[in-house]
Amino acid sequence: MQVEKAQENYDRLTMQSIEEALKSAGAEDDLQKILQVLEDDIVGFKRHEAAAGPFSNMDTAMLNGLNIRKLSVIKRAQQQQQQHQGASEKFATDRTAQKVPAFQQSSSKLPPALNELERFIFTRLSAKLPVTDSYYNGLVAQNDALKEMIEPVSYSGADILAALIVAALHPEFEGTDEIVIAGQVDTLLYQIWQCMCKFDMDRPFTLSRKRNRADESATLRLKRPDLCITTSRALLFKGEDKTAEADLRKAIEQLGTKMSNWGANFHGKVEYLLCYACAGPILQFCVLPRGSKIPRMLGSEMSMGTQAGRLRIIAVAIQAYQVIKAQHAHLPDHYFPLSWTDHTSLSSIEFFDGYVQKRVEYSQAWPKKRRLFMTQVYTACKDSAYLIHAMASPKDSPSPETGVVYYAVDLEPLGVPLLSKYSDQRPKNQAELKSLTKCVLSGVQDLHNAGYGHTDIRWQNIIQCGTSYRLIDLEFVCKLKQRPFTPTGYVRKARPDLYSHKWVAEYDLILVGDLLESCKLPDLDGQGQELIRAMQAGNVSAGQALQHPWLTG
């Protein structure tokens, strides 16, 4: 089993080296086709004894369009693998799994606080970086100071990690375009992190990389960073690349504008987002505090143009890995990652950067004329701080696959539903209940002042946005003193008797009273119980309820 794992690790590193070689030669357009052939079971790359000569098995049609430069790179990659025959046997005794824990800086399971982050990631590593013995001798001969950072791999036996580090140090920097820069950054950051993840036996987790070849993301419909590192679909690291060194400031600024609402659905569990800005050979680590669009620079600029600079970047990357690992461990039990779609019995909700899109298929249950009414509702409520907002008027949205037409509206802000199939965030004490009640009643009052009733006040239709709360799902709103809108087949479970009458403002208060009573808080005092009874009896308006001593005292 150990030999098979070592062979798998070696094959993975070989594929990465071929991929980076092709990128550096500008073969990006052909890269995916080539790698697909390499990974095919018929070619048998993963079982190839010497991991050499895979290109000889390729269909010649796959090589059509490759220029001489690209073909020469393929040949060099092939020769390189032939030179490393027998390396898999060497990796069979690899001790990278024993080396990785030596980099653990702290026994704390929590990520460092924002004000401690810079000191943390720039603290000298608690263990030296392994490189091959021959490479070590060459490096220290050129720069004796590097002895403080590196050691011969024979000291630790961490052959796989050493091979990755040498691969990151070996090529000269070629900042000809963003694709080449991206490949070189990946060897310094992502490849190191992948190795750490694979051999870290303490709370193991996985990372995924998304490299962007255009600013616009068709999936997320927003400006996306050049690099996104996610774990469990949660964004925990991003980067921005520029070719010209003079564009470093621009790269840093774009870190703040692309996917700026990265933490809106992490429920406050992630305090900041690590990131980098790269311009030519210069790499600058940064941090984005939650809720901020202005990145803070961490430490000084580092150069990918020198081996000493790359070693420093790798050292910081290893410390950053510890931060990302701790953040992953403290993600909420459930969150809605970007591009996630949640389905209900009537609609679907898709989550984007800073907003959600709600879609309802037009049908007899949801007639098309409802869209005009909803435009009026969202316009009337656009200034309320306690109701969900439409970013633009609702629209007709045909499906490109089926042609079916949907009602669609983009809504903001993002928030945490107090009750869903994923989590229960309802108030746990009287103080929390008071705070929520003030917000809900304020939202109800704004609706009533505009001449509308909500009609569907449930825990599922209240979201928490920071320290405040908002009523959502205005699609069931009706005009006061008119019969409420209930789609065909939809069952009103709370107070079904109310929906056979024309809706009046007091009915919304009855729903709020029932909601608060359902919390059954043991510390709810007499004043709170009194207000609940008054609302359930339909004896107070939203404005009067807001002036009750339980909420003003």
Side-chain angles (χ1 to χ4, degrees):
M1 178 63 72
Q2 187 179 15
V3 173
E4 291 176 358
K5 187 173 182 180
Q7 180 67 54
E8 179 186 343
N9 292 335
Y10 177 68
D11 290 344
R12 179 173 55 83
L13 296 176
T14 301
M15 286 290 284
Q16 290 166 357
S17 68
I18 292 175
E19 182 175 354
E20 297 307 325
L22 289 166
K23 283 182 178 178
S24 67
E28 180 75 6
D29 292 340
D30 312 279
L31 182 57
Q32 294 306 317
K33 290 188 294 184
I34 293 171
L35 294 181
Q36 183 179 2
V37 171
L38 289 178
E39 292 174 336
D40 193 279
D41 287 340
I42 297 174
V43 176
F45 180 84
K46 294 180 179 178
R47 301 188 305 275
H48 202 286
E49 183 179 357
F55 291 99
S56 62
N57 292 309
M58 291 178 63
D59 189 322
T60 54
M62 284 291 183
L63 297 176
N64 287 342
L66 293 182
N67 57 32
I68 295 176
R69 185 184 181 203
K70 296 174 184 177
L71 287 170
S72 66
V73 168
I74 291 176
K75 184 65 175 177
R76 288 202 303 271
Q78 184 178 350
Q79 291 171 345
Q80 183 180 8
Q81 305 318 315
Q82 291 170 343
Q83 291 170 2
H84 286 81
Q85 287 186 16
S88 60
E89 286 132 13
K90 177 182 178 184
F91 288 161
T93 58
D94 174 74
R95 294 182 58 81
T96 298
Q98 287 72 41
K99 182 68 174 179
V100 166
F103 294 117
Q104 184 74 35
Q105 184 184 148
S106 170
S107 59
S108 173
K109 302 298 184 183
L110 296 173
L114 180 59
N115 60 355
E116 292 290 326
L117 179 62
E118 183 170 2
R119 181 203 61 78
F120 183 93
I121 67 172
F122 285 99
T123 296
R124 179 180 293 180
L125 291 176
S126 52
K128 293 183 179 181
L129 299 171
V131 296
T132 59
D133 290 21
S134 58
Y135 208 73
Y136 172 86
N137 294 330
L139 286 175
V140 298
Q142 298 174 33
N143 186 349
D144 189 68
L146 294 181
K147 288 181 178 179
E148 299 297 319
M149 298 182 65
I150 62 175
E151 67 181 12
V153 71
S154 56
Y155 286 16
S156 64
D159 295 299
I160 292 177
L161 179 57
L164 280 174
I165 293 174
V166 170
L169 297 176
H170 182 64
E172 294 183 3
F173 177 79
E174 295 182 8
T176 53
D177 57 44
E178 287 189 20
I179 292 177
V180 175
I181 291 175
Q184 296 186 336
V185 170
D186 280 354
T187 64
L188 296 168
L189 301 180
Y190 184 67
Q191 305 301 344
I192 300 297
W193 289 341
Q194 283 288 77
C195 181
M196 298 287 287
C197 284
K198 190 172 187 67
F199 292 100
D200 189 349
M201 298 298 105
D202 176 38
R203 295 176 296 155
F205 69 108
T206 58
L207 291 174
S208 298
R209 169 189 58 184
K210 179 66 176 179
R211 271 287 177 191
N212 191 30
R213 296 172 64 180
D215 274 350
E216 295 288 348
S217 165
T219 305
L220 302 181
R221 298 185 301 159
L222 50 87
K223 297 282 187 180
R224 188 176 61 196
D226 291 324
L227 173 67
C228 296
I229 299 293
T230 61
T231 175
S232 303
R233 299 182 69 193
L235 178 69
L236 291 182
F237 188 89
K238 65 179 178 178
E240 191 67 25
D241 302 316
K242 301 295 176 189
T243 305
E245 190 172 334
D247 286 338
L248 180 63
R249 175 57 57 183
K250 182 178 179 181
I252 293 174
E253 290 174 354
Q254 289 185 349
L255 285 173
T257 58
K258 295 182 179 181
M259 289 174 67
S260 56
N261 291 285
W262 57 271
N265 282 312
F266 293 166
H267 317 340
K269 298 291 187 179
V270 179
E271 185 182 2
Y272 52 77
L273 181 72
L274 278 171
C275 43
Y276 80 85
C278 183
I282 302 302
L283 188 142
Q284 174 70 61
F285 281 96
C286 300
V287 62
L288 266 173
R290 185 178 67 245
S292 173
K293 295 185 179 181
I294 303 176
R296 300 181 190 176
M297 291 185 287
L298 297 172
S300 57
E301 300 171 1
M302 289 178 281
S303 174
M304 295 189 294
T306 66
Q307 290 173 323
R310 294 188 197 190
L311 281 170
R312 282 192 287 271
I313 293 171
I314 292 172
V316 174
I318 289 176
Q319 300 289 51
Y321 165 82
Q322 309 294 341
V323 175
I324 294 171
K325 174 183 173 181
Q327 288 178 321
H328 168 264
H330 289 85
L331 286 171
D333 292 335
H334 182 78
Y335 52 88
F336 297 104
L338 296 177
S339 78
W340 172 269
T341 300
D342 194 39
H343 297 277
T344 68
S345 59
L346 188 67
S347 63
S348 65
I349 306 291
E350 189 168 5
F351 291 79
F352 296 97
D353 184 33
Y355 70 98
V356 301
Q357 184 179 88
K358 184 171 188 175
R359 294 166 65 87
V360 184
E361 182 178 348
Y362 287 126
S363 63
Q364 184 177 0
W366 184 269
K368 198 167 185 178
K369 64 181 181 180
R370 185 76 181 165
R371 178 174 64 84
L372 178 59
F373 176 75
M374 291 311 307
T375 299
Q376 297 169 347
V377 171
Y378 281 114
T379 300
C381 301
K382 63 183 177 63
D383 295 323
S384 174
Y386 305 100
L387 297 171
I388 195 75
H389 291 168
M391 298 174 67
S393 296
K395 60 187 177 183
D396 293 341
S397 177
S399 168
E401 292 84 14
T402 64
V404 174
V405 181
Y406 292 83
Y407 161 92
V409 59
D410 295 338
L411 302 168
E412 63 177 358
L414 290 175
V416 186
L418 293 194
L419 184 64
S420 71
K421 55 190 174 185
Y422 307 108
S423 65
D424 184 347
Q425 304 292 328
R426 288 176 292 183
K428 303 299 189 294
N429 54 59
Q430 178 168 259
E432 292 180 1
L433 188 64
K434 280 186 180 182
S435 175
L436 174 138
T437 303
K438 291 177 183 178
C439 294
V440 170
L441 287 174
S442 296
V444 170
Q445 184 179 41
D446 290 339
L447 268 174
H448 291 174
N449 289 342
Y452 298 103
H454 190 282
T455 82
D456 198 29
I457 300 174
R458 301 178 290 134
W459 291 118
Q460 292 88 338
N461 290 336
I462 303 173
I463 59 173
Q464 184 171 4
C465 307
T467 59
S468 185
Y469 300 86
R470 290 186 185 237
L471 277 171
I472 63 171
D473 203 2
L474 303 188
E475 274 61 37
F476 283 86
V477 161
C478 73
K479 287 186 176 181
L480 291 175
K481 299 182 181 180
Q482 291 189 5
R483 291 287 293 269
F485 168 72
T486 301
T488 305
Y490 187 84
V491 179
R492 300 277 195 171
K493 297 179 181 179
R495 298 275 188 161
D497 54 303
L498 298 179
Y499 298 92
S500 59
H501 305 284
K502 292 182 179 180
W503 199 262
V504 293
E506 290 78 11
Y507 289 177
D508 278 337
L509 275 295
I510 291 173
L511 297 181
V512 174
D514 288 350
L515 204 67
L516 304 188
E517 184 184 48
S518 70
C519 280
K520 301 187 182 304
L521 297 179
D523 64 339
L524 182 64
D525 61 25
Q527 287 185 333
Q529 296 173 16
E530 177 186 84
L531 176 59
I532 289 173
R533 288 194 296 269
M535 289 191 290
Q536 289 176 317
N539 292 334
V540 292
S541 67
Q544 291 169 335
L546 284 166
Q547 297 303 314
H548 191 276
W550 186 64
L551 296 178
T552 59

